[in-house]
Amino acid sequence: MTQAPESPAHTHVDLQSDLGWALGVLLRGYAKGAQSAIADVPGGPRGYQVLTSAVDGTPCTQLALANKLGIDRTVMTYLLDDLEKAGVIERQPDPADRRARRIIATEAGRATLCQLQRKLRHVEEMVLGALPEEQRAVFRSLLRTVAVSLDERDPLDNDNACTAIEALGVEPATRTRRRRP
């Protein structure tokens, strides 16, 4: 004799063991703290990502950087304008293609990134505060492995990156231009 399946009302659901719930809570906590930590950077999270990419030492063209970060190229242009006005990046002609511009961090940009990273480490410590220090390092390493693997299999495209940021309630770059139909 087979037993009837339990009705949904009697099924035990442990929300705290749900991966989606846990990732959502973690991301919301980090996004709130990070948003205030990088509030002074033009473009907020996107500006921070551009600055980090510019400082990492790999000269990157404006278009390649937009593709790498999943930022619409029109939005990227305005974002770079704002970052350049703030004195943290500069655009230089690409020796391989005079029509393209490489994005380079200025000394002020490098100093700004150091300050931002200190603030973000503090946010990380608050978010991961329930874990002992050694487990935090393991968690970061495992998370990085999963993220890199997923990104290699399914890289962000411009629409997905923008949608994901907007879903978090994080303000996009300061100016956007409407596309013509």
Side-chain angles (χ1 to χ4, degrees):
M1 178 189 265
T2 60
Q3 288 185 334
E6 277 189 65
S7 68
H10 294 92
T11 303
H12 176 70
V13 177
D14 183 9
L15 184 62
Q16 292 181 350
S17 65
D18 180 80
L19 178 64
W21 177 84
L23 289 173
V25 170
L26 185 71
L27 186 56
R28 277 192 314 274
Y30 182 79
K32 283 180 184 177
Q35 193 168 17
S36 68
I38 60 176
D40 295 335
V41 177
R46 290 176 178 166
Y48 172 76
Q49 290 175 347
V50 168
L51 182 57
T52 299
S53 296
V55 169
D56 81 2
T58 307
C60 195
T61 65
Q62 184 170 323
L63 182 58
L65 188 56
N67 290 333
K68 174 182 172 183
L69 298 177
I71 299 174
D72 177 86
R73 49 186 196 173
T74 302
V75 172
M76 177 61 87
T77 299
Y78 291 127
L79 179 57
L80 292 174
D81 288 345
D82 291 343
L83 291 167
E84 199 166 31
K85 285 177 191 167
V88 296
I89 61 113
E90 56 185 38
R91 292 179 237 191
Q92 297 177 350
D94 185 345
D97 180 358
R98 292 178 46 181
R99 297 169 296 169
R101 297 285 178 253
R102 293 181 357 185
I103 310 307
I104 308 294
T106 63
E107 285 305 313
R110 292 176 189 286
T112 297
L113 183 62
C114 286
Q115 293 169 357
L116 294 172
Q117 287 176 328
R118 277 193 293 277
K119 290 178 182 180
L120 289 171
R121 274 194 296 278
H122 180 70
V123 171
E124 286 180 20
E125 296 306 317
M126 290 179 59
V127 169
L128 300 178
L131 297 174
E133 184 57 44
E134 17 344 300
Q135 288 183 353
R136 293 177 201 176
V138 170
F139 179 80
R140 285 183 180 103
S141 176
L142 293 171
L143 186 61
R144 183 175 31 259
T145 299
V146 171
V148 167
S149 174
L150 283 174
D151 190 51
E152 286 172 353
R153 287 185 280 150
D154 186 19
L156 288 175
D157 63 31
N158 291 339
D159 293 334
N160 288 339
C162 293
T163 302
I165 292 292
E166 289 164 1
L168 291 173
V170 176
E171 291 296 318
T174 55
R175 293 177 284 175
T176 58
R177 187 166 64 184
R178 299 179 94 188
R179 291 184 184 205
R180 294 182 185 153

